[in-house]
Amino acid sequence: MSNFICPKCEQPLTKAGNQWQCPDRHSYDTARQGYTNLLLVNQKKSKNPGDDADMVRSRTLFLDAGFYQPISDAVNALVTRSGSVLDIGCGEGYYTDRLAKHLASAKSEALVIGLDISRDAVKVACRRNKTIRWLVASGARPPVAPQSIDTVITLFTPLMPAGLKHALSDNGEVITAYTGKRHLYELRAQIYDDVNMDEYSPILAMQDAGFECVEETRVNFRIQPNTNEQLQALLAMTPHRWKVSPDKAAQFALLASLDIEVDVVLNKFRRQQTS
Ligand SMILES: C[S@@+](CC[C@H](N)C(=O)[O-])C[C@H]1O[C@@H](n2cnc3c(N)ncnc32)[C@H](O)[C@@H]1O
Ligand SMILES: [Zn+2]
C-alpha cells in the first residue's frame, strides 16, 4: 500500500514490480530513473507541460551554486509538523532534497513526495535523492489519498488551492514561497526600463479556499553571481527570459558579475477552524 491514488478513478494504488496498479487495473510505470508518471494525457495542456529542459538545467546550475540556500533553510525551519511532506511543483528537486535531508538529520521519519507536471524537471530531481518519491503529476489534483499529507510546500509555483485542500490533513500546514517586490531588482533593471514593484500574495486566494495565514517571513539577502554563466542561468530560470529584447540580451551577455537583491516572502497556512 502507499498513499498514492489512481489519477483516473482515485482508488488506492499498490506496487506490483515496477508498476503501480489500482483495483480497476489502471497501471502506471515507474521509469528506470525512479519516478512514476501519474499524469493523465487529458491533464496536459501541451505535449511537455511545465518547465522545459533548458529552464531545468539553468535552475540546477544556479541552485547548486548555493545562491538560494538561505531560502531553503528558511523553508526547512518552517516545517514543524512530523509525518508526510508533499512538494507541489518541486521542479528539479533542490528544495525537496534539502528538506528531506534536514528532516532525516532531525531523525524525523518523514515520507517526502516531490511532484511536478514537468517530466524534464522530475527526471533531474530523481538523481538528487532516492529516498524521495518522485511523481510526474498535476498539482491541481495531487494523486495522493485525501487529507493524507501533513505538510505541503509549494515554492514559486502557481497556487492550486483545490489541490492543497485535497491533499492536506486536518491539522496540516501549507508553506508557500513567492517573490517579493524587490526580488532580483538589479537583474530586472538590466532588462526593463521600468522595473515592476508589484508583489503577489497568496493570502486572499488561500482565504477563499478556507486557509488562514499563521506566519509570514520575508527572506531578504544579497547575492553576487560572478560569472556570466551564473547570470545567464539566473535569467533563464525566471519568466524574464521570455521578455528580454535582443539589445538588452546582448548587453546582458557582456556582464561578468552583478550584486543582486533577493527578496522572497514565505507564508504558512492552516485550515480555518470552523466553530
Ligand atoms: C518556478 S518553478 C519552481 C520549481 C521549484 N519549486 C523551485 O523553486 O526550484 C515552477 C514549477 O511548477 C511546475 N508546475 C507548473 N504547473 C504545474 C502543475 N499544474 N502541477 C505541478 N507542477 C506544476 C513547473 O513545471 C515548474 O517546475
Ligand atoms: Zn484506477
Side-chain angles (χ1 to χ4, degrees), residues 63-64 66 68-76 93-105 112 128-129 132 134:
L63 292 174
D64 280 350
Y68 278 2
Q69 192 177 316
I71 304 172
S72 165
D73 289 341
V75 169
N76 292 353
Y94 172 79
Y95 297 95
T96 337
D97 174 45
R98 289 198 83 247
L99 175 56
K101 288 180 176 140
H102 167 77
L103 294 172
S105 73
V112 181
R128 289 193 180 271
N129 193 323
I132 294 172
W134 299 105

Side-chain angles (χ1 to χ4, degrees), residues 49-51 59 63 87-95 115-118 121 137-140 154-158 160 237:
D51 282 7
R59 186 163 289 126
L63 292 174
D87 185 354
I88 294 183
C90 63
E92 53 72 77
Y94 172 79
Y95 297 95
L115 169 165
D116 201 285
I117 204 163
S118 159
S138 170
T154 187
L155 313 175
F156 311 110
T157 292
M160 292 172 269
M237 67 186 250

Side-chain angles (χ1 to χ4, degrees), residues 6-13 21-28:
C6 174
K8 278 196 190 117
C9 68
E10 306 215 321
Q11 298 184 80
L13 289 175
Q21 223 175 48
C22 78
D24 283 354
R25 299 199 164 269
H26 300 130
S27 63
Y28 306 90

Side-chain angles (χ1 to χ4, degrees), residues 86-257:
L86 171 64
D87 185 354
I88 294 183
C90 63
E92 53 72 77
Y94 172 79
Y95 297 95
T96 337
D97 174 45
R98 289 198 83 247
L99 175 56
K101 288 180 176 140
H102 167 77
L103 294 172
S105 73
K107 304 268 181 289
S108 169
E109 299 276 307
L111 166 71
V112 181
I113 304 166
L115 169 165
D116 201 285
I117 204 163
S118 159
R119 195 159 67 98
D120 286 325
V122 175
K123 265 187 184 168
V124 172
C126 265
R127 293 190 215 131
R128 289 193 180 271
N129 193 323
K130 300 286 175 208
T131 70
I132 294 172
R133 300 279 184 88
W134 299 105
L135 300 179
V136 178
S138 170
R141 191 67 177 172
V144 296
Q147 305 194 1
S148 60
I149 302 293
D150 300 296
T151 307
V152 176
I153 67 171
T154 187
L155 313 175
F156 311 110
T157 292
L159 190 68
M160 292 172 269
L164 300 174
K165 264 178 123 163
H166 164 82
L168 198 71
S169 69
D170 258 356
N171 296 315
E173 293 180 338
V174 178
I175 293 157
T176 62
Y178 289 101
T179 55
K181 53 177 165 293
R182 298 197 54 83
H183 188 57
L184 305 183
Y185 180 86
E186 294 77 5
L187 179 130
R188 291 186 291 138
Q190 295 287 328
I191 298 169
Y192 306 111
D193 293 331
D194 287 314
V195 177
N196 183 346
M197 298 298 270
D198 292 346
E199 182 170 294
Y200 169 76
S201 167
I203 291 180
L204 286 179
M206 287 294 273
Q207 265 170 8
D208 286 348
F211 293 97
E212 60 180 336
C213 178
V214 293
E215 207 171 325
E216 178 165 293
T217 313
R218 188 174 287 269
V219 188
N220 187 285
F221 56 97
R222 301 192 73 85
I223 56 173
Q224 289 83 26
N226 58 10
T227 66
N228 187 259
E229 187 188 28
Q230 288 173 344
L231 288 167
Q232 296 286 358
L234 176 57
L235 177 62
M237 67 186 250
T238 71
H240 307 300
R241 70 180 299 187
W242 311 116
K243 301 178 187 156
V244 194
S245 68
D247 279 3
K248 298 281 187 191
Q251 280 172 26
F252 196 79
L254 299 174
L255 272 184
S257 65

